[in-house]
Amino acid sequence: MKVILKLILVFFVFNFFACSSDDDSNNDSEASLEGIWILSSLRVESTFDFNNDGTASQNLFEETPCYDNDFINFRTDGTVNVVTALTEITVDVTSPTEYNHVYECLDGFDQETTWTREGNTITVEYGSTDLVGTISGNMLTVHIENFFQIEMYDGMSYSYPNEDVTLVYTKQ
């Protein structure tokens, strides 16, 4: 059975706000949003060792090459361009006690929409939904609860728990 993570980034595109910071500056409301923000982390709740380095990680950005070219470009005219890849993760079961997760990088999308800012609060408009977040220093972080449904196998049956996703972008 396959679990497709295609929608994870569709929603993330418009939910990439809920920022945290490694900067204690009080000047976040004056920090420039305009420019290129490169994806630097995409964390899920489960751990994987897709890169076969012997260490399982929650960070799919580290475990796969799928997101190496993902970015967001905030423009001064109030438009935003989001470029993101997609990943398909499946369970490869060879016996009731032997299985592993495998991934495949898929073509993503290049999405245009608009954004507005009031202080350090940013709103991205998408259809009838306004998505709101904050900017802090040179980091953008979004946390999407119960967003990612992943296929799990316990040796007898499959389950599909919902997991939270956290994305972090760094301004270039």
Side-chain angles (χ1 to χ4, degrees):
M1 299 182 82
K2 292 184 176 184
V3 173
I4 298 182
L5 299 180
K6 291 179 182 179
L7 294 179
I8 187 171
L9 293 174
V10 171
F11 285 102
F12 119 70
V13 165
F14 304 105
N15 286 297
F16 59 90
F17 307 105
C19 299
S20 65
S21 175
D22 59 358
D23 178 0
D24 291 329
S25 170
N26 290 328
N27 296 324
D28 289 335
S29 64
E30 298 174 17
S32 176
L33 178 66
E34 292 85 359
I36 304 290
W37 296 75
I38 304 292
L39 183 68
S40 55
S41 177
L42 189 155
R43 299 179 70 83
V44 294
E45 292 180 71
S46 294
T47 59
F48 301 97
D49 187 17
F50 291 134
N51 64 7
N52 297 313
D53 66 356
T55 303
S57 172
Q58 295 173 302
N59 190 347
L60 294 181
F61 183 81
E62 293 175 352
E63 293 294 328
T64 75
C66 298
Y67 308 102
D68 288 352
N69 297 311
D70 287 15
F71 68 90
I72 300 169
N73 183 9
F74 289 98
R75 298 186 192 101
T76 57
D77 67 357
T79 61
V80 61
N81 174 235
V82 181
V83 175
T84 188
L86 305 172
T87 302
E88 179 177 54
I89 296 178
T90 59
V91 175
D92 181 22
V93 178
T94 55
S95 77
T97 58
E98 293 183 34
Y99 60 90
N100 61 8
H101 286 90
V102 294
Y103 75 92
E104 179 183 357
C105 297
L106 304 173
D107 290 337
F109 59 93
D110 184 333
Q111 181 67 45
E112 293 280 339
T113 188
T114 60
W115 65 274
T116 57
R117 180 175 184 174
E118 185 175 322
N120 64 345
T121 300
I122 301 160
T123 302
V124 173
E125 296 181 15
Y126 181 66
S128 62
T129 305
D130 286 346
L131 305 159
V132 179
T134 59
I135 182 175
S136 184
N138 69 340
M139 305 296 282
L140 282 173
T141 303
V142 63
H143 181 80
I144 307 167
E145 293 184 10
N146 297 314
F147 175 74
F148 178 75
Q149 188 177 62
I150 186 163
E151 181 179 58
M152 296 298 210
Y153 183 71
D154 65 6
M156 295 178 59
S157 63
Y158 292 90
S159 64
Y160 302 89
N162 289 323
E163 295 191 354
D164 297 352
V165 175
T166 302
L167 300 122
V168 177
Y169 291 86
T170 304
K171 185 165 186 195
Q172 298 303 294

